[in-house]
Amino acid sequence: MATQLPVTDEIFPKDSRKTYSLAELMRGESPLVGKGPDDTVFSFPIVLLWEVVLLLGVTLAIFLFSLARHAPLEEIANPLVTTDPAKAPWYFLGLQELLEHMHPTLAGVIIPTVLVLFLVMLPYLDHSRANAGVWFSSARGRRIVSWTALYVLVVMPGYIALDNALGLRELLRGVVPQWVAQGLLPGAIIAVLVALPALVVWRFGGDTRELMLTLFTVMFVSAIVFTVSGFLFRGPGFKLYWPWQMPDGYNPWDGL
Amino acid sequence: MTLASLAARLFQSRLWRSFFRHGWPDNPLDRSLAMTSNVFFHLHPVKVSHKSLRWSYSFGLGIISCILFGVLVWTGVLLMFYYVPSVERAYPTMKEIQLSVPLGQFTRDMHRWSAHAMVLAVILHLARVFYVGAYKPPREFNWIVGVVLLLLTLGASFTGYLLPWDQLAYWAITVGTNIAGYAPVAGPVMREMLLGGAEVGQNALIRFYTLHIAVLPLLITMLVSLHVWRVRKDGGLAANET
């Protein structure tokens, strides 16, 4: 045959006489660009085995815990008899603790909204790809996180205890308007306590990631402090007690 | 007939081949196909790096959260066979589950402790992902999905908290929803929408129940699938970036 016939069963017939094709080189990256396949293994079966091991381990742990401790069930709900103390589920006790120190709108709405917005916006505030996949990004980052955590562990319990002893709200009642005593003032105190370590890091030339490490650690450790305070240290009347000196035989762990 | 030849006949049978469209996974091709041709496995990548398997990198917190969710669905469905979401029947059915249903108390304990453990695991997972910087590009979107999953987890736990209809449940939900009610303008409306009234009562119970057993688990299932699939699409764990 002198000339080859074009392939006819395609929508765009390929002419075999053409020796070129259209192609374009693009600048861009695939998720695995610059990384050789050498350090990889097949997921089958290693990943699945890991998952089965975790499944057995986690289920066993919950199984044993369930044998050791029963879920609580108190008297039937009675809208006429308030329990003392009346506590939210443990993961909201940080907010309930905050409510003791400031206006409900600030503690129950503004602060949680700011926290969620901070979390959502985080990757857009800190968008450099440097040091992704490394715990605390660097040795310096690890030091920043440790010192910030230590700072929060001192300052936030201090704030709770001091505000509890002084009763800022009661002290300023009638002196300044309520929105100052309950909103502006505690809001400003919290804002300063949160901003202080970030300012220090910024002053020493911290980059965006290090600022975020500071702010997140303040948020995370504060949440732990307030939750522990609300869960373990609040007894009847939602007053502060040492966990081992709870009156009326109240045990915070019973309400888990 | 030996065992080996029986196995060979089974794996080559028309029935087996119609279920599994790959050979025994002892070679690269079939190991890839084992992952990609299975609907449950295909959310995983075909290959993973040694770095991302390192225990001290991820602590397996995401998978642990997922497993706890599975335990919760399993025990939750068992509890649903007995529990009645009405103000008159809820508490008596709880007593019934604990006292006369075989393994009822145990099932309820598993459900309760898994729920607390899942909230804890999800929070720790978020902290882990933050501290290794795994929210950075190209993983921004998956980070947001994760934040939404945290909120859904809190919602699932909170709505479940009311169902025993004891004093603990009633007052915890009263206190919790009061916090939501403090928002200016929208607060009271939101609170009333959630409770179906001014106070925690039958309307609140059935709303919380529906959210707890249908809406939130479905949303969580869908978003977890998206979340895990997206991990693969974004190039696996951020450990691969190093």
Side-chain angles (χ1 to χ4, degrees), chain A residues 101-183:
Chain A
H101 302 280
M102 54 197 71
H103 192 273
T105 309
L106 184 59
V109 183
I110 296 175
I111 289 180
T113 308
V114 167
L115 292 185
V116 172
L117 281 182
F118 168 68
L119 287 179
V120 169
M121 283 162 55
L122 187 65
Y124 303 95
L125 298 172
D126 172 25
H127 46 72
S128 98
R129 292 185 68 165
N131 287 326
V134 181
W135 272 89
F136 309 111
S137 290
S138 60
R140 190 175 127 118
R142 187 184 292 269
R143 278 202 303 280
I144 289 175
V145 169
S146 315
W147 282 106
T148 310
L150 198 68
Y151 160 85
V152 176
L153 284 175
V154 172
V155 164
M156 288 303 175
Y159 171 73
I160 293 172
L162 208 65
D163 189 45
N164 184 64
L166 292 178
L168 204 57
R169 277 202 259 206
E170 303 306 317
L171 220 60
L172 294 175
R173 193 178 291 275
V175 183
V176 289
Q178 220 191 15
W179 64 269
V180 176
Q182 289 196 30

Coordinates of all heavy atoms in Angstrom, one line a residue, chain A residues 101-183:
Chain A
H101 N -16.5 35.5 84.5 CA -15.6 36.6 84.6 C -16.0 37.8 83.7 O -15.3 38.9 83.8 CB -14.1 36.2 84.2 CG -13.6 35.1 85.0 ND1 -13.1 35.2 86.2 CD2 -13.6 33.7 84.8 CE1 -12.8 34.1 86.8 NE2 -13.1 33.1 85.9
M102 N -16.9 37.6 82.8 CA -17.3 38.7 81.9 C -18.7 38.6 81.4 O -19.4 37.7 81.7 CB -16.3 38.8 80.7 CG -16.2 37.5 80.0 SD -14.7 37.4 78.9 CE -13.4 37.2 80.1
H103 N -19.1 39.6 80.6 CA -20.4 39.7 80.1 C -20.7 38.4 79.2 O -19.8 38.0 78.5 CB -20.6 41.0 79.3 CG -22.0 41.2 78.9 ND1 -22.6 40.7 77.8 CD2 -23.0 42.0 79.5 CE1 -23.9 41.1 77.8 NE2 -24.1 41.9 78.8
P104 N -21.9 37.9 79.3 CA -22.3 36.7 78.6 C -22.0 36.8 77.1 O -21.6 35.9 76.4 CB -23.7 36.5 78.9 CG -24.0 37.2 80.1 CD -23.0 38.3 80.2
T105 N -22.3 38.0 76.5 CA -22.1 38.1 75.1 C -20.7 38.0 74.7 O -20.3 37.4 73.7 CB -22.7 39.5 74.6 OG1 -24.0 39.7 75.1 CG2 -22.7 39.6 73.1
L106 N -19.8 38.5 75.6 CA -18.4 38.5 75.3 C -17.9 37.0 75.5 O -17.2 36.5 74.6 CB -17.6 39.4 76.3 CG -16.1 39.5 76.1 CD1 -15.8 40.0 74.7 CD2 -15.5 40.4 77.1
A107 N -18.3 36.4 76.6 CA -17.7 35.1 76.9 C -18.4 34.0 76.0 O -17.7 33.0 75.6 CB -18.0 34.8 78.4
G108 N -19.7 34.1 75.8 CA -20.4 33.0 75.2 C -20.5 33.2 73.7 O -20.8 32.2 73.0
V109 N -20.3 34.4 73.1 CA -20.5 34.6 71.7 C -19.2 35.1 71.0 O -18.7 34.5 70.1 CB -21.7 35.5 71.5 CG1 -21.9 35.7 70.0 CG2 -22.9 35.0 72.2
I110 N -18.8 36.3 71.5 CA -17.7 37.0 70.8 C -16.4 36.2 70.8 O -15.8 35.9 69.8 CB -17.5 38.4 71.4 CG1 -18.7 39.2 71.2 CG2 -16.3 39.1 70.7 CD1 -18.7 40.6 71.8
I111 N -16.0 35.7 72.0 CA -14.7 35.0 72.1 C -14.8 33.7 71.3 O -13.9 33.4 70.5 CB -14.3 34.8 73.6 CG1 -13.9 36.1 74.2 CG2 -13.2 33.8 73.8 CD1 -13.5 36.1 75.6
P112 N -15.8 32.8 71.5 CA -15.8 31.6 70.7 C -15.9 31.9 69.2 O -15.2 31.2 68.4 CB -17.1 30.9 71.1 CG -17.7 31.6 72.2 CD -16.9 32.8 72.5
T113 N -16.6 33.0 68.8 CA -16.6 33.3 67.3 C -15.2 33.7 66.8 O -14.8 33.3 65.8 CB -17.6 34.5 67.1 OG1 -18.8 34.1 67.7 CG2 -17.8 34.7 65.6
V114 N -14.5 34.5 67.6 CA -13.2 34.9 67.3 C -12.3 33.7 67.1 O -11.5 33.6 66.2 CB -12.6 35.9 68.3 CG1 -11.1 36.1 68.1 CG2 -13.3 37.3 68.2
L115 N -12.4 32.8 68.1 CA -11.6 31.6 68.0 C -11.8 30.7 66.8 O -10.9 30.3 66.1 CB -11.8 30.7 69.3 CG -11.4 31.3 70.6 CD1 -11.5 30.3 71.7 CD2 -9.9 31.7 70.6
V116 N -13.1 30.5 66.4 CA -13.4 29.7 65.2 C -12.9 30.5 64.0 O -12.3 29.9 63.1 CB -14.9 29.4 65.2 CG1 -15.2 28.8 63.8 CG2 -15.3 28.5 66.3
L117 N -13.1 31.8 64.0 CA -12.7 32.6 62.8 C -11.1 32.5 62.7 O -10.6 32.4 61.6 CB -13.1 34.0 62.9 CG -14.6 34.3 62.5 CD1 -14.9 35.8 62.7 CD2 -14.8 33.8 61.1
F118 N -10.5 32.5 63.8 CA -9.0 32.4 63.8 C -8.6 31.1 63.2 O -7.7 31.1 62.3 CB -8.5 32.6 65.2 CG -7.0 32.2 65.4 CD1 -6.0 33.0 64.8 CD2 -6.6 31.1 66.1 CE1 -4.7 32.7 64.9 CE2 -5.3 30.8 66.3 CZ -4.3 31.5 65.7
L119 N -9.3 30.0 63.6 CA -8.9 28.7 63.1 C -9.2 28.6 61.6 O -8.3 28.1 60.8 CB -9.7 27.6 63.8 CG -9.3 27.3 65.2 CD1 -10.2 26.2 65.8 CD2 -7.8 26.9 65.3
V120 N -10.3 29.2 61.1 CA -10.6 29.1 59.7 C -9.7 29.9 58.9 O -9.3 29.5 57.8 CB -12.1 29.5 59.5 CG1 -12.4 29.7 58.0 CG2 -13.1 28.5 60.1
M121 N -9.3 31.1 59.4 CA -8.4 32.0 58.6 C -7.0 31.6 58.7 O -6.2 32.1 57.8 CB -8.6 33.4 59.1 CG -9.9 34.0 58.6 SD -10.4 35.5 59.6 CE -8.9 36.4 59.4
L122 N -6.6 30.8 59.6 CA -5.2 30.5 59.9 C -4.4 30.2 58.6 O -3.3 30.8 58.4 CB -5.2 29.3 60.9 CG -3.8 28.9 61.4 CD1 -3.2 30.0 62.3 CD2 -4.0 27.6 62.2
P123 N -4.8 29.2 57.7 CA -4.0 28.9 56.6 C -3.8 30.1 55.6 O -2.9 30.1 54.8 CB -4.7 27.7 55.9 CG -6.0 27.6 56.6 CD -6.0 28.4 57.8
Y124 N -4.7 31.1 55.7 CA -4.6 32.2 54.8 C -3.8 33.3 55.4 O -3.2 34.2 54.7 CB -6.0 32.7 54.4 CG -6.8 31.5 53.8 CD1 -7.7 30.8 54.6 CD2 -6.6 31.2 52.5 CE1 -8.3 29.7 54.0 CE2 -7.3 30.1 51.9 CZ -8.1 29.3 52.7 OH -8.7 28.3 52.1
L125 N -3.7 33.3 56.7 CA -2.8 34.3 57.4 C -1.3 33.8 57.3 O -0.4 34.6 57.0 CB -3.2 34.4 58.9 CG -4.6 34.9 59.2 CD1 -4.9 34.8 60.7 CD2 -4.7 36.4 58.7
D126 N -1.1 32.5 57.4 CA 0.2 31.9 57.4 C 0.3 31.0 56.2 O 0.0 29.8 56.3 CB 0.5 31.2 58.7 CG 1.8 30.4 58.6 OD1 2.7 30.8 57.8 OD2 1.9 29.4 59.4
H127 N 0.7 31.5 55.0 CA 0.6 30.7 53.8 C 1.9 30.3 53.2 O 2.0 29.8 52.1 CB -0.3 31.4 52.8 CG 0.1 32.9 52.6 ND1 1.2 33.3 52.0 CD2 -0.6 34.0 53.0 CE1 1.3 34.6 52.0 NE2 0.2 35.1 52.6
S128 N 3.0 30.5 54.0 CA 4.3 30.1 53.4 C 4.4 28.6 53.6 O 3.8 28.0 54.5 CB 5.4 30.7 54.2 OG 5.9 29.9 55.2
R129 N 5.0 27.9 52.6 CA 5.1 26.4 52.7 C 6.3 26.0 53.4 O 6.5 24.8 53.6 CB 5.1 25.9 51.3 CG 3.8 26.1 50.6 CD 3.8 25.4 49.2 NE 3.8 23.9 49.3 CZ 3.5 23.1 48.3 NH1 3.2 23.6 47.2 NH2 3.5 21.8 48.5
A130 N 7.1 26.9 54.0 CA 8.3 26.5 54.6 C 8.1 25.7 55.8 O 7.2 26.0 56.6 CB 9.1 27.8 55.0
N131 N 8.9 24.7 56.0 CA 8.9 23.8 57.2 C 7.6 23.1 57.5 O 7.3 22.8 58.6 CB 9.3 24.7 58.4 CG 10.7 25.0 58.4 OD1 11.6 24.2 58.0 ND2 11.1 26.2 58.9
A132 N 6.7 23.0 56.5 CA 5.5 22.2 56.7 C 5.9 20.7 57.0 O 6.9 20.3 56.4 CB 4.6 22.3 55.5
G133 N 5.3 20.1 57.9 CA 5.5 18.7 58.2 C 6.6 18.5 59.2 O 7.1 17.4 59.4
V134 N 7.0 19.6 59.9 CA 8.0 19.5 61.0 C 7.4 20.0 62.2 O 6.8 21.0 62.2 CB 9.3 20.3 60.7 CG1 10.3 20.2 61.8 CG2 9.9 19.9 59.3
W135 N 7.4 19.2 63.3 CA 6.8 19.6 64.6 C 7.4 20.9 65.0 O 8.6 21.1 65.1 CB 7.1 18.5 65.6 CG 6.0 17.4 65.7 CD1 6.0 16.3 65.0 CD2 4.8 17.4 66.4 NE1 4.9 15.6 65.2 CE2 4.1 16.2 66.1 CE3 4.2 18.3 67.3 CZ2 2.9 15.9 66.7 CZ3 3.0 18.0 67.9 CH2 2.3 16.8 67.6
F136 N 6.6 21.9 65.3 CA 6.9 23.2 65.7 C 7.8 23.9 64.7 O 8.4 25.0 65.1 CB 7.6 23.2 67.1 CG 6.8 22.4 68.1 CD1 7.3 21.2 68.6 CD2 5.6 22.8 68.6 CE1 6.6 20.4 69.5 CE2 4.9 22.1 69.5 CZ 5.4 20.9 70.0
S137 N 7.9 23.4 63.5 CA 8.7 24.0 62.4 C 10.2 24.1 62.6 O 11.0 23.9 61.7 CB 8.2 25.5 62.1 OG 6.9 25.4 61.6
S138 N 10.7 24.4 63.9 CA 12.1 24.5 64.1 C 12.4 24.4 65.6 O 11.4 24.4 66.4 CB 12.6 25.8 63.6 OG 12.0 26.9 64.3
A139 N 13.7 24.3 66.0 CA 14.0 24.3 67.4 C 13.5 25.6 68.1 O 13.0 25.6 69.2 CB 15.5 24.1 67.6
R140 N 13.6 26.7 67.3 CA 13.2 28.0 67.9 C 11.7 28.0 68.1 O 11.2 28.4 69.1 CB 13.6 29.1 66.9 CG 13.4 30.5 67.4 CD 13.9 31.5 66.4 NE 12.9 32.5 66.1 CZ 13.1 33.8 66.4 NH1 14.2 34.2 67.0 NH2 12.2 34.7 66.1
G141 N 11.0 27.4 67.1 CA 9.5 27.2 67.3 C 9.1 26.4 68.5 O 8.2 26.8 69.2
R142 N 9.9 25.4 68.7 CA 9.6 24.5 69.9 C 9.8 25.3 71.2 O 9.0 25.2 72.1 CB 10.6 23.3 69.9 CG 10.3 22.3 70.9 CD 11.3 21.2 70.9 NE 11.2 20.4 69.7 CZ 10.5 19.3 69.6 NH1 9.8 18.8 70.6 NH2 10.4 18.6 68.4
R143 N 10.9 26.1 71.2 CA 11.1 27.0 72.4 C 10.0 28.0 72.6 O 9.5 28.2 73.7 CB 12.5 27.7 72.3 CG 13.7 26.9 72.7 CD 14.9 27.7 73.0 NE 15.3 28.6 72.0 CZ 16.0 28.3 70.9 NH1 16.4 27.0 70.8 NH2 16.3 29.2 70.0
I144 N 9.6 28.6 71.5 CA 8.5 29.6 71.6 C 7.2 28.9 72.1 O 6.6 29.5 73.1 CB 8.2 30.2 70.2 CG1 9.3 31.1 69.8 CG2 6.8 30.9 70.2 CD1 9.2 31.6 68.4
V145 N 6.9 27.7 71.7 CA 5.7 27.0 72.1 C 5.8 26.7 73.6 O 4.9 26.9 74.4 CB 5.4 25.8 71.3 CG1 4.3 24.9 71.9 CG2 5.0 26.1 69.9
S146 N 7.0 26.2 74.0 CA 7.2 25.8 75.4 C 7.0 27.0 76.3 O 6.3 27.0 77.4 CB 8.6 25.2 75.7 OG 8.9 24.3 74.7
W147 N 7.7 28.1 76.0 CA 7.6 29.3 76.8 C 6.2 29.9 76.8 O 5.8 30.4 77.9 CB 8.7 30.4 76.4 CG 10.1 30.0 76.8 CD1 11.1 29.5 76.1 CD2 10.6 30.0 78.2 NE1 12.2 29.2 76.8 CE2 11.9 29.6 78.1 CE3 10.0 30.4 79.4 CZ2 12.7 29.5 79.3 CZ3 10.8 30.3 80.6 CH2 12.1 29.8 80.5
T148 N 5.6 29.9 75.7 CA 4.2 30.4 75.7 C 3.3 29.6 76.5 O 2.5 30.1 77.3 CB 3.7 30.5 74.2 OG1 4.6 31.1 73.4 CG2 2.4 31.2 74.1
A149 N 3.4 28.3 76.4 CA 2.6 27.4 77.3 C 2.8 27.7 78.7 O 1.9 27.8 79.5 CB 2.9 25.9 76.9
L150 N 4.1 27.8 79.1 CA 4.4 28.1 80.5 C 3.8 29.4 81.0 O 3.2 29.5 82.0 CB 5.9 28.2 80.7 CG 6.5 28.0 82.1 CD1 6.2 26.6 82.6 CD2 8.0 28.3 82.1
Y151 N 3.9 30.4 80.1 CA 3.4 31.8 80.4 C 1.9 31.7 80.6 O 1.3 32.2 81.6 CB 3.7 32.7 79.2 CG 2.8 33.9 79.1 CD1 3.1 35.1 79.8 CD2 1.7 33.9 78.2 CE1 2.3 36.2 79.7 CE2 0.9 35.0 78.1 CZ 1.2 36.2 78.8 OH 0.4 37.3 78.7
V152 N 1.1 30.9 79.7 CA -0.3 30.8 79.9 C -0.7 30.0 81.1 O -1.6 30.4 81.9 CB -0.9 30.1 78.6 CG1 -2.4 29.9 78.8 CG2 -0.7 30.9 77.4
L153 N 0.1 29.0 81.5 CA -0.1 28.2 82.7 C 0.0 29.0 83.9 O -0.5 28.7 85.0 CB 0.8 27.0 82.7 CG 0.4 25.8 81.7 CD1 1.4 24.7 81.8 CD2 -1.0 25.3 82.1
V154 N 0.8 30.1 83.9 CA 0.9 31.0 85.0 C -0.2 32.1 85.0 O -0.9 32.3 86.0 CB 2.3 31.6 85.1 CG1 2.4 32.7 86.1 CG2 3.4 30.6 85.3
V155 N -0.3 32.7 83.8 CA -1.1 33.9 83.7 C -2.6 33.6 83.9 O -3.3 34.3 84.6 CB -0.8 34.7 82.4 CG1 -1.9 35.7 82.1 CG2 0.5 35.3 82.5
M156 N -3.1 32.6 83.1 CA -4.6 32.4 83.1 C -5.1 31.9 84.4 O -6.1 32.4 84.9 CB -4.9 31.4 81.9 CG -4.8 32.1 80.6 SD -5.8 33.6 80.4 CE -5.3 34.2 78.8
P157 N -4.5 30.9 85.1 CA -5.0 30.6 86.4 C -4.9 31.8 87.4 O -5.8 32.0 88.2 CB -4.0 29.5 86.9 CG -3.5 28.9 85.7 CD -3.4 30.0 84.7
G158 N -3.8 32.6 87.2 CA -3.7 33.8 88.0 C -4.9 34.7 87.8 O -5.5 35.3 88.7
Y159 N -5.3 34.9 86.5 CA -6.4 35.8 86.2 C -7.7 35.2 86.8 O -8.4 36.0 87.4 CB -6.6 35.9 84.6 CG -7.9 36.5 84.2 CD1 -8.0 37.9 84.4 CD2 -8.9 35.8 83.7 CE1 -9.2 38.5 84.0 CE2 -10.1 36.4 83.4 CZ -10.3 37.8 83.5 OH -11.4 38.4 83.2
I160 N -7.9 33.9 86.7 CA -9.1 33.3 87.3 C -9.1 33.5 88.8 O -10.1 34.0 89.3 CB -9.2 31.8 86.9 CG1 -9.4 31.6 85.4 CG2 -10.3 31.1 87.7 CD1 -9.2 30.1 85.0
A161 N -8.0 33.2 89.5 CA -8.0 33.4 90.9 C -8.1 34.8 91.4 O -8.9 35.1 92.3 CB -6.7 32.8 91.4
L162 N -7.4 35.7 90.7 CA -7.4 37.1 91.0 C -8.8 37.7 90.8 O -9.4 38.4 91.7 CB -6.4 37.9 90.2 CG -5.8 39.1 90.8 CD1 -5.0 38.7 92.1 CD2 -4.9 39.9 89.8
D163 N -9.4 37.4 89.7 CA -10.7 38.0 89.4 C -11.8 37.4 90.4 O -12.7 38.1 90.8 CB -11.1 37.7 88.0 CG -12.4 38.4 87.6 OD1 -12.5 39.6 87.8 OD2 -13.3 37.8 87.0
N164 N -11.5 36.1 90.7 CA -12.4 35.5 91.7 C -12.3 36.1 93.1 O -13.3 36.4 93.8 CB -12.1 34.0 91.8 CG -13.1 33.3 92.7 OD1 -14.3 33.2 92.4 ND2 -12.6 32.8 93.8
A165 N -11.1 36.5 93.5 CA -10.9 37.1 94.8 C -11.4 38.5 94.8 O -12.0 38.9 95.8 CB -9.4 37.0 95.1
L166 N -11.1 39.3 93.8 CA -11.4 40.7 93.8 C -12.9 40.9 93.4 O -13.5 41.8 93.9 CB -10.5 41.5 92.8 CG -9.0 41.6 93.2 CD1 -8.3 42.3 92.1 CD2 -8.9 42.3 94.5
G167 N -13.4 40.1 92.5 CA -14.7 40.3 92.0 C -14.8 41.6 91.3 O -15.6 42.5 91.7
L168 N -14.1 41.7 90.2 CA -14.0 43.0 89.4 C -15.4 43.6 89.1 O -15.7 44.7 89.2 CB -13.3 42.8 88.1 CG -12.6 44.0 87.5 CD1 -11.7 44.7 88.5 CD2 -11.8 43.6 86.2
R169 N -16.3 42.6 88.8 CA -17.7 43.0 88.4 C -18.4 43.8 89.6 O -19.0 44.8 89.4 CB -18.5 41.8 88.0 CG -18.3 41.3 86.6 CD -19.5 40.5 86.2 NE -19.2 39.1 86.3 CZ -19.9 38.2 85.5 NH1 -20.8 38.5 84.7 NH2 -19.5 36.9 85.6
E170 N -18.3 43.1 90.8 CA -18.9 43.7 91.9 C -18.2 45.0 92.4 O -18.9 45.9 92.8 CB -18.9 42.7 93.1 CG -19.5 41.3 92.7 CD -20.9 41.5 92.2 OE1 -21.7 42.3 92.8 OE2 -21.3 40.8 91.2
L171 N -16.9 45.0 92.3 CA -16.1 46.1 92.7 C -16.5 47.4 91.9 O -16.6 48.5 92.5 CB -14.6 45.8 92.4 CG -13.6 46.3 93.5 CD1 -14.0 45.6 94.8 CD2 -12.2 45.9 93.1
L172 N -16.8 47.2 90.6 CA -17.0 48.4 89.8 C -18.5 48.7 89.6 O -18.9 49.5 88.8 CB -16.4 48.2 88.4 CG -14.8 48.1 88.4 CD1 -14.3 47.8 87.1 CD2 -14.3 49.5 88.9
R173 N -19.4 47.9 90.2 CA -20.8 48.1 90.1 C -21.2 49.5 90.5 O -20.9 49.9 91.6 CB -21.6 47.0 90.9 CG -23.0 47.0 90.6 CD -23.7 45.9 91.4 NE -23.3 44.5 91.0 CZ -23.9 43.9 90.0 NH1 -24.8 44.4 89.4 NH2 -23.4 42.6 89.8
G174 N -21.8 50.2 89.7 CA -22.2 51.6 90.0 C -21.2 52.6 89.8 O -21.4 53.8 89.7
V175 N -19.9 52.2 89.7 CA -18.8 53.2 89.5 C -18.7 53.5 88.0 O -18.7 54.7 87.6 CB -17.5 52.6 90.0 CG1 -16.4 53.6 89.8 CG2 -17.6 52.2 91.4
V176 N -18.7 52.5 87.2 CA -18.6 52.6 85.7 C -19.8 51.9 85.1 O -20.4 51.0 85.7 CB -17.3 52.1 85.1 CG1 -16.1 53.0 85.5 CG2 -17.1 50.7 85.5
P177 N -20.2 52.3 83.9 CA -21.4 51.6 83.3 C -21.1 50.1 83.2 O -19.9 49.6 83.1 CB -21.4 52.2 81.9 CG -20.6 53.4 81.9 CD -19.7 53.3 83.0
Q178 N -22.1 49.3 83.1 CA -22.0 47.8 83.1 C -21.2 47.3 81.9 O -20.4 46.4 82.0 CB -23.4 47.2 83.1 CG -23.5 46.0 83.9 CD -24.7 45.2 83.7 OE1 -25.4 45.4 82.7 NE2 -25.1 44.3 84.6
W179 N -21.4 47.9 80.8 CA -20.6 47.4 79.6 C -19.1 47.7 79.7 O -18.3 47.0 79.0 CB -21.2 48.0 78.3 CG -21.0 49.5 78.1 CD1 -21.9 50.5 78.5 CD2 -19.9 50.2 77.6 NE1 -21.4 51.7 78.3 CE2 -20.2 51.6 77.6 CE3 -18.7 49.8 77.0 CZ2 -19.3 52.6 77.2 CZ3 -17.9 50.8 76.5 CH2 -18.2 52.2 76.6
V180 N -18.7 48.6 80.5 CA -17.3 48.8 80.8 C -16.8 47.8 81.7 O -15.8 47.1 81.5 CB -17.0 50.2 81.3 CG1 -15.5 50.4 81.6 CG2 -17.4 51.3 80.3
A181 N -17.5 47.6 82.9 CA -17.1 46.7 83.9 C -17.1 45.2 83.5 O -16.2 44.4 83.8 CB -18.0 46.9 85.1
Q182 N -18.1 44.9 82.7 CA -18.3 43.5 82.3 C -17.8 43.2 80.9 O -17.5 42.0 80.6 CB -19.7 43.1 82.4 CG -20.2 43.0 83.8 CD -21.5 42.2 83.9 OE1 -21.8 41.3 83.1 NE2 -22.3 42.6 84.9
G183 N -17.7 44.2 80.0 CA -17.3 44.0 78.7 C -16.0 44.5 78.3 O -15.0 43.7 78.1

